[in-house]
Amino acid sequence: MSSHPVAETVASLIPRARAELAELVAFKSVADFDQYPRSESEGAANWVADALRAEGFTDVALLDTPDGTQSVYGFLPGPEGARTVLLYAHYDVQPPLDEAGWDTPPFELTERDGRWYGRGAADCKGGIIMHLLALRALKANGGVPVHIKVIAEGSEEQGTGGLERYAEEHPELLRADTIVIGDAGNFRVGLPTVTTTLRGMTLVRAQVDTLQGNLHSGQFGGAAPDALAALIRALDSLRAEDGSTTVDGLPGGAAWEGLQYDEEQFRKDAKVLDGVELIGSGTVADRIWARPAVTVLGIDCPPVVGATPSVQASARALISLRVPPGVDAAEATKLLQAHLEAHTPWGARVRTEQIGQGQAFRADTTSPAYRAMADAMAVAYPGERMQYAGQGGSIPLCNTLAALYPEAEILLIGLSEPEAQIHAVNESVSPGELERLSATEALFLLNYAG
Ligand SMILES: [Zn+2]
């Protein structure tokens, strides 16, 4: 660890941070109240609110968001005329899934082999602790040099969008010059990483109709137009021979310019079976961060058990398209719909409908906030340089904030490196990463204020 006084303070605060994370992990704050009592989420929300009050935050409030959950908000005033930084994390967690698959109880923070295990330890209760540690370290070393807003969401893992809608209805509440989303992660332990892009996505449902009703495949098959066969043709046209996504008019050849994802490592992470090839072209990073990816999520057709010898009159599919950064999701949706309509054969009737959509995100890495973060990471991770990674999935709140505050700079960092196994059984956090990233965040706030 560097000898910067802020980093030394963070190191001295780690035992307290561990005790606090244990308290927070003990709440079963899964925001699905059919599965886990609401009181567990309320307990976690109150814990966060109390922690903010104890740090001198004013206006601490539990916000009732439209999805029936609560987000915790607080404001810590800084020096007159200072800039405002919003720190984001979420206190809700994924359900533990297979409890028997955990080596230690999911809601008891447990140390093993130098890591702390527990649901939410990394995603994202650790993120809340990271924000607290950074602020405490600054207070012990001359004070927090900016205005701080904290928002801790209560339903991120459910995707019910409560905070997004609340933020849209209260557009001033989360306004900030810079936003730090503490819900991402380093590319690997010890390699300081900012996530600079998120792919967007669109969901389209396609229905193909060819006949008034199903027909006997012996009597009519061979000439009767089969809706399922037509749908399969249309879906297959979304891929090239090597498996690359090919939607007419949609750019598919972009290159990723940040850090690279080793192909063997990817095979291991994705648990690809021996002898099976990866699909697509370009580097792995190109494919998962910079290029479109189509996935057929479901097909309505007769299941194998109970299937009869019939030519199908109708068939449906749900198609997801991950939209590369720099491409408008609405435009991608139109292109996908047009492609499906153009590639459905035999004059079969096809109807497409958009079910959902989220914009891609790309940060401005030339901004002052990125320089401040690069300098902070160089100190907190001696000998390393800040790396740029992408994320193949989306964070809808990120887009909401980017749309509400187009001038704000957004940085995604966090504790969810690959070993953390977020969303899986045996989730854990690296205490070393918690220490280095908390120091990073504190140093970032110092640099940014200066
Ligand atoms: Zn998360």
Side-chain angles (χ1 to χ4, degrees):
M1 200 71 202
S2 143
S3 61
H4 194 286
V6 158
E8 281 172 13
T9 307
V10 170
S12 73
L13 291 171
I14 290 296
R16 177 180 172 193
R18 179 183 170 170
E20 290 179 321
L21 185 56
E23 288 176 24
L24 204 43
V25 164
F27 294 106
K28 301 180 173 81
S29 49
V30 178
D32 175 353
F33 305 134
D34 295 329
Q35 281 194 72
Y36 291 86
R38 180 180 289 274
S39 57
E40 295 285 335
S41 281
E42 287 171 350
N46 283 315
W47 191 99
V48 175
D50 290 343
L52 295 179
R53 281 189 204 101
E55 296 305 323
F57 276 72
T58 59
D59 303 334
V60 175
L62 301 184
L63 313 174
D64 290 310
T65 59
D67 63 351
T69 67
Q70 292 181 313
S71 291
V72 186
Y73 170 83
F75 177 66
L76 182 69
E80 179 95 22
R83 292 195 259 201
T84 301
V85 177
L86 173 70
L87 306 178
Y88 167 90
H90 60 87
Y91 69 80
D92 72 304
V93 295
Q94 285 280 331
L97 304 172
D98 172 22
E99 290 217 31
W102 284 74
D103 295 331
T104 57
F107 297 106
E108 271 177 44
L109 193 71
T110 310
E111 180 163 5
R112 185 159 39 87
D113 303 329
R115 297 185 66 95
W116 301 342
Y117 288 81
R119 174 56 88 222
D123 178 21
C124 189
K125 289 172 170 174
I128 290 170
I129 302 296
M130 173 180 82
H131 295 325
L132 290 172
L133 274 173
L135 296 175
R136 287 172 187 157
L138 289 171
K139 285 163 77 178
N141 290 278
V144 180
V146 291
H147 302 297
I148 297 285
K149 291 178 176 179
V150 164
I151 188 77
E153 186 174 8
S155 58
E156 195 275 342
E157 302 292 4
Q158 300 299 316
T160 42
L163 181 57
E164 282 115 85
R165 275 176 286 151
Y166 191 94
E168 283 159 2
E169 288 160 17
H170 303 80
E172 286 310 306
L173 185 75
L174 302 180
R175 183 178 295 283
D177 299 300
T178 284
I179 298 168
V180 179
I181 308 269
D183 193 22
N186 287 342
F187 188 65
R188 58 177 155 76
V189 169
L191 189 68
T193 311
V194 206
T195 300
T196 59
T197 65
L198 306 170
R199 283 194 296 197
M201 71 110 70
T202 182
L203 268 183
V204 167
R205 191 157 56 197
Q207 162 123 19
V208 176
D209 298 292
T210 50
L211 303 161
Q212 284 184 1
N214 292 351
L215 299 173
H216 190 273
S217 61
Q219 193 179 355
F220 294 98
D226 181 325
L228 180 55
L231 177 65
I232 290 169
R233 276 262 156 113
L235 295 177
D236 186 54
S237 73
L238 294 167
R239 288 189 189 283
E241 203 57 42
D242 65 5
S244 311
T245 291
T246 49
V247 177
D248 295 345
L250 185 69
W256 178 257
E257 277 163 12
L259 64 78
Q260 290 298 328
Y261 200 145
D262 175 70
E263 195 158 323
E264 277 315 303
Q265 185 62 46
F266 179 84
R267 291 188 67 90
K268 231 184 265 170
D269 293 344
K271 301 186 172 77
V272 180
L273 301 180
D274 280 347
V276 181
E277 296 165 27
L278 300 187
I279 61 171
S281 64
T283 68
V284 169
D286 294 342
R287 298 179 215 184
I288 62 173
W289 295 334
R291 297 184 180 183
V294 76
T295 308
V296 177
L297 304 185
I299 299 182
D300 282 348
C301 63
V304 171
V305 175
T308 58
S310 303
V311 174
Q312 298 300 311
S314 302
R316 290 203 304 174
L318 183 62
I319 301 133
S320 140
L321 174 65
R322 297 288 171 174
V323 179
V327 176
D328 177 48
E331 180 61 24
T333 305
K334 275 196 213 125
L335 290 170
L336 175 59
Q337 288 179 298
H339 180 108
L340 289 166
E341 284 157 21
H343 289 266
T344 302
W346 317 318
R349 293 184 191 170
V350 55
R351 273 178 300 144
T352 61
E353 186 188 353
Q354 184 199 314
I355 304 298
Q357 177 181 299
Q359 292 293 346
F361 168 77
R362 177 151 56 191
D364 172 12
T365 54
T366 64
S367 65
Y370 269 82
R371 284 197 297 279
M373 185 60 82
D375 292 345
M377 285 181 160
V379 173
Y381 288 81
E384 298 291 347
R385 247 169 8 105
M386 178 169 88
Q387 304 287 320
Y388 297 148
Q391 189 170 307
S394 54
I395 300 181
L397 180 71
C398 197
N399 300 104
T400 304
L401 295 175
L404 279 172
Y405 317 118
E407 303 302 313
E409 301 171 32
I410 301 183
L411 297 123
L412 293 116
I413 60 169
L415 297 159
S416 298
E417 34 74 28
E419 287 175 52
Q421 301 262 17
I422 60 162
H423 296 201
V425 298
N426 295 316
E427 176 181 350
S428 66
V429 71
S430 155
E433 289 283 272
L434 176 63
E435 184 179 328
R436 288 184 290 259
L437 282 165
S438 302
T440 295
E441 187 165 278
L443 293 166
F444 160 73
L445 293 170
L446 273 183
N447 296 344
Y448 183 62

